[in-house]
Amino acid sequence: MAGTDIDFATLPFGYMRTDANIRYYFRSGAWSAGELTGEETIPLHMAATCLHYGQEIFEGLKIFGRPDGRIQAFRIDANANRIQRSAAKLLMEPVPTAVFRDAVQRVVKANRRFVPPYGSGASLYVRPFEIGISAEVGVKPSPDYLFLVFVTPVGPYYKTGFTPVKLKVEEVIHRAAPGGVGDIKCGGNYAAGMRATIGAKHEGYGEVLYLDSREDRFIDESGSSNFFAIAGNTFITPKSDSILESITRMSVIRIAEDLGMKIEHRPIDVAEIAAFDEAGCLGTAAAITPVESITRAGKEHVYTRGGKAGPKVTALYKRLLAIQLGETDDPYGWTEIIE
Ligand code: PLP
Ligand code: COI
């Protein structure tokens, strides 16, 4: 198959048409076999539950080009598990792990020429999502579902890549409530946070940092990633039942332990931002993005010098990336080659 004339090194984090996406329908109690198509639009009933009652959940994972020219995925099973947990909370039909794996592998193979090569700094972003498609007007779960996976080559989520971003503590808006759905990956959470994120971007910040909505006191996460801080040799990250359980965070906690760091997974009082040595964001799109500063009530706390990430954040980033890119052995079994 022909290559592409894409300049992978300058790619933004955005949508680009590729050769195919893959679709599975759940109807009459069974999943279909999955069909690859080049069609970018979806035929959808105007009364579908996804449109009115928010039955929409999604995932994000990445495929990386290795130094040896092969390509590899990072933690497909962890994303499969999470979309099942998301489905359970919105009373949607869970996508079996075997279907999820089949979908990712088939759609990646069908778009092999869009996987950015090693060294480009880009990757192939895989976006699986599931929607309720049956026509309902009463508030109830759809009996039928569409599970679709598309891919698109992407550059860094924050324009600057591994360059520190500024965060602003969000003092008014909350993305998630206790007992709500902040711990799952549903579209509604992102709709709820858009005002905050876009407002902060207009003020020159990369993202907001949400506080818990019970007390406005503990750090939750940002709109598009989990949060961590470094104090001395300790990796500190929020414990909260209204944040997404980040697969990147799970991985980085393991890496930090193996690099000899102490881990604290606990509620973080926002007043502690004055005491951090370094800070970072964690996510599939964000990878590890260093935090330059956190501004709260007009006061900026700075964690970097000369626009450069601190030593611990840099060490974690390098180790994570080396595994994701296949530069080094993966002792954790997180990566798998897609032949
Ligand atoms: N938190 C939110 C709100 C996110 O959108 C994401 C992105 O997926 C994350 C955290 C990070 O999760 P993961 O590392 O699994 O991508
Ligand atoms: C991801 O990191 O995969 C996400 O879904 C974050 C999204 C806001 C781009």
Side-chain angles (χ1 to χ4, degrees):
M1 189 188 291
T4 66
D5 54 9
I6 301 165
D7 181 5
F8 289 112
T10 60
L11 272 182
F13 189 92
Y15 177 78
M16 176 186 292
R17 180 175 192 150
T18 60
D19 289 334
N21 60 84
I22 190 159
R23 302 168 184 210
Y24 300 71
Y25 284 93
F26 185 85
R27 286 199 177 106
S28 310
W31 287 101
S32 65
E35 195 180 331
L36 283 161
T37 170
E39 176 56 51
E40 288 174 290
T41 62
I42 305 171
L44 194 58
H45 195 288
M46 62 189 172
T49 64
C50 64
L51 296 177
H52 302 269
Y53 304 128
Q55 278 201 306
E56 190 273 347
I57 54 181
F58 67 100
E59 276 303 324
L61 62 144
K62 277 180 174 169
I63 307 296
F64 298 90
R66 294 165 45 101
D68 63 9
R70 295 189 292 168
I71 62 172
Q72 67 182 22
F74 188 70
R75 306 200 74 170
I76 299 177
D77 288 359
N79 290 94
N81 291 341
R82 191 168 63 191
I83 203 170
Q84 291 160 3
R85 293 200 299 278
S86 296
K89 246 186 156 170
L90 298 191
L91 301 186
M92 296 170 67
E93 181 63 30
V95 175
T97 302
V99 171
F100 193 93
R101 293 184 61 78
D102 180 65
V104 172
Q105 290 181 345
R106 283 168 67 190
V107 76
V108 170
K109 284 178 196 167
N111 291 292
R112 181 68 178 82
R113 69 193 183 106
F114 291 94
V115 181
Y118 175 76
S120 63
S123 54
L124 188 74
Y125 186 70
V126 181
R127 172 55 65 86
F129 70 94
E130 183 184 0
I131 54 175
I133 54 171
S134 302
E136 299 287 354
V137 183
V139 179
K140 56 168 120 65
S142 171
D144 296 341
Y145 291 88
L146 166 64
F147 172 58
L148 189 156
V149 185
F150 70 82
V151 298
T152 185
V154 294
Y157 188 63
Y158 295 109
K159 275 199 286 288
T160 44
F162 189 69
T163 307
V165 290
K166 289 173 187 261
L167 299 183
K168 178 191 168 195
V169 173
E170 175 54 56
E171 319 256 358
V172 179
I173 297 168
H174 290 111
R175 68 178 275 285
V181 292
D183 60 335
I184 66 163
K185 209 161 168 60
C186 61
N189 287 337
Y190 298 81
M194 248 182 238
R195 264 180 316 150
T197 298
I198 300 304
K201 287 199 168 156
H202 284 147
E203 294 173 38
Y205 299 99
E207 251 293 2
V208 292
L209 197 54
Y210 290 106
L211 299 181
D212 80 283
S213 53
R214 197 180 269 120
E215 292 185 70
D216 263 334
R217 174 174 166 200
F218 298 103
I219 295 176
D220 258 356
E221 63 174 338
S222 94
S224 47
S225 55
N226 274 185
F227 174 79
F228 73 100
I230 304 285
N233 190 40
T234 305
F235 178 100
I236 313 167
T237 189
K239 192 173 187 71
S240 163
D241 58 11
S242 41
I243 65 176
L244 192 69
E245 187 167 1
S246 159
I247 293 159
T248 314
R249 178 169 82 163
M250 261 189 258
S251 312
V252 171
I253 286 176
R254 199 53 217 286
I255 289 171
E257 274 171 348
D258 290 354
L259 291 178
M261 300 180 72
K262 191 172 155 241
I263 310 297
E264 288 182 9
H265 184 199
R266 59 166 174 83
I268 304 176
D269 194 307
V270 65
E272 292 182 53
I273 60 176
F276 299 153
D277 296 323
E278 301 176 45
C281 292
L282 296 156
T284 297
I288 293 180
T289 300
V291 171
E292 176 175 336
S293 66
I294 302 177
T295 299
R296 180 187 177 210
K299 179 159 174 32
E300 186 179 28
H301 302 266
V302 179
Y303 307 107
T304 56
R305 279 177 210 281
K308 282 193 128 172
K312 293 271 192 302
V313 171
T314 304
L316 293 168
Y317 173 78
K318 284 196 171 151
R319 181 79 181 125
L320 175 70
L321 227 70
I323 294 171
Q324 289 183 326
L325 294 171
E327 288 172 344
T328 179
D329 285 347
D330 166 15
Y332 308 108
W334 292 335
T335 53
E336 62 187 278
I337 306 278
I338 302 210
E339 301 290 355

